[in-house]
Amino acid sequence: AGLDFNSGSPVALNNGALNTTEGCASIADTSGNLLFYTEGVTVFNKVHSVMANGSGLLGGNSSSQSAIIVPLPGSSTTYYIFTTPDQGSVAGLNYSIVDMTLQGGLGEIVILNTLLNTPIGEKVCATHHSNGSDYWIVAHEYNTDAFYAYQLSATGVNPVPVISNV
């Protein structure tokens, strides 16, 4: 199931390929047109087919926030998918990169499952950096008081996190 907000009111969609009991993520272009979506394991393009190289992401089928999609700062065609595994799994926080200029505009995963940290909890979030262009990707290290924040800039992910203990 999905929702389309382009008319100003939500319209139910029932043509998606996703089947999950927990986390999922989607992203649209600036006009509100669907680009792709995922439950953290498989990426589906806008025509609801598996994206090229879009299988085998290391998000968890039972992760409450299995994925988040963030555009590469300064790009309208490159996207990062950050995934979290099922609670405490050694799969950890990973990212994969989508290039929407490939496959006739349907996109393709060009980098799959780059590990940032393990073990990680089932939560991930993104927020704008105070510089107005970059993003912070934040995840909680499993069974600790540490939060890991990774900066995503136009040059990619800085693999050295800012660690905050609470």
Side-chain angles (χ1 to χ4, degrees):
L3 293 173
D4 182 340
F5 293 94
N6 282 319
S7 69
S9 297
V11 175
L13 303 173
N14 59 8
N15 60 343
L18 195 70
N19 184 6
T20 186
T21 58
E22 294 193 53
C24 62
S26 66
I27 194 150
D29 65 18
T30 57
S31 297
N33 300 305
L34 177 67
L35 293 174
F36 61 92
Y37 56 101
T38 182
E39 87 291 46
V41 178
T42 304
V43 181
F44 299 93
N45 61 30
K46 65 184 176 184
V47 296
H48 313 293
S49 297
V50 176
M51 183 178 279
N53 299 320
S55 297
L57 278 73
L58 294 177
N61 284 326
S62 184
S63 176
S64 58
Q65 289 179 306
S66 56
I68 193 166
I69 303 166
V70 183
L72 178 67
S75 174
S76 62
T77 59
T78 302
Y79 296 86
Y80 279 66
I81 304 171
F82 294 88
T83 57
T84 63
D86 297 340
Q87 192 72 3
S89 165
V90 295
L93 175 66
N94 286 272
Y95 69 85
S96 298
I97 301 175
V98 175
D99 183 342
M100 291 302 297
T101 65
L102 301 176
Q103 302 295 321
L106 294 177
E108 181 174 332
I109 303 282
V110 293
I111 294 179
L112 183 67
N113 297 325
T114 299
L115 181 65
L116 289 171
N117 187 33
T118 191
I120 208 77
E122 294 184 357
K123 310 289 189 264
V124 62
C125 67
T127 188
H128 281 282
H129 188 288
S130 63
N131 68 16
S133 61
D134 297 352
Y135 292 91
W136 288 108
I137 313 306
V138 182
H140 180 236
E141 187 175 51
Y142 182 68
N143 209 28
T144 75
D145 65 354
F147 286 82
Y148 284 66
Y150 295 89
Q151 188 173 358
L152 176 63
S153 69
T155 60
V157 176
N158 180 347
V160 179
V162 174
I163 302 170
S164 300
N165 298 91
V166 296

